[in-house]
Amino acid sequence: MVGKGNYTGMEQPMPPLMLRRRDRWSLKVRLWRAARAGQGERRSSLVAAARAVALGAPVSTVDNDATVALSNAELRLIGGGSLELGRCHRPTVARLRAATEAGPVFVDRIADHGHCFGVYLRTAAGQRIAVLTAQLGVGSAGGGTSVDLRPLALA
């Protein structure tokens, strides 16, 4: 078998790896579970970082692009931190901006709902405002660290 391809002597090419259908499905399920577990860990660490920076902090300004229905918004906090919200409902953000101009607004709660993040705020008068967003970014008070974790297929 000299001169035939890359094989010399008695070596034969390896046949392609053949898996049974049950083994292929088992592998796919295990990979899916591992990806979901990693995504859950990343989302929980993001919510913990957002809570550390923003819980109880007063909002100083609300920045967003007011020309589109779903726009990115940023909540700048008095302590120097910020929450970057991706694709928020424009009327809700406008209501939040009006409440911020009328008086102090505090970050009451930050939650992960699986399909979106919830940032819950309250005014000094007791009015509650909920902002739901698909993406959440955290800017620390130091200004040097920014955490922005988006769901990834596999880690």
Side-chain angles (χ1 to χ4, degrees):
M1 304 252 336
V2 177
K4 292 226 178 206
N6 294 331
Y7 306 106
T8 60
M10 301 299 287
E11 296 177 10
Q12 295 294 322
M14 291 286 295
L17 183 62
M18 300 298 290
L19 294 174
R20 296 180 304 188
R21 181 180 299 184
R22 179 175 39 169
D23 293 337
R24 283 194 311 263
W25 278 103
S26 174
L27 180 62
K28 286 181 183 181
V29 167
R30 283 184 283 159
L31 288 173
W32 179 82
R33 283 182 183 158
R36 293 286 293 175
Q39 181 179 351
E41 290 172 3
R42 286 189 298 275
R43 289 177 72 95
S44 65
S45 67
L46 175 62
V47 169
R51 287 177 180 160
V53 169
L55 271 184
V59 177
S60 64
T61 60
V62 178
D63 298 329
N64 77 321
D65 182 13
T67 60
V68 293
L70 291 173
S71 65
N72 294 339
E74 182 177 10
L75 303 178
R76 295 184 190 260
L77 307 172
I78 296 282
S82 66
L83 289 177
E84 299 160 6
L85 310 174
R87 290 183 48 205
C88 300
H89 190 234
R90 188 179 63 175
T92 304
V93 175
R95 207 173 74 189
L96 176 60
R97 178 180 286 135
T100 304
E101 292 170 357
V105 175
F106 301 94
V107 178
D108 197 24
R109 185 168 65 103
I110 299 173
D112 180 11
H113 299 298
H115 62 283
C116 67
F117 295 99
V119 179
Y120 299 94
L121 304 118
R122 65 175 167 76
T123 64
Q127 177 188 10
R128 298 196 183 274
I129 300 171
V131 180
L132 300 177
T133 180
Q135 298 170 353
L136 181 65
V138 181
S140 71
T145 307
S146 180
V147 179
D148 185 14
L149 300 175
R150 293 185 176 99
L152 301 174
L154 289 173

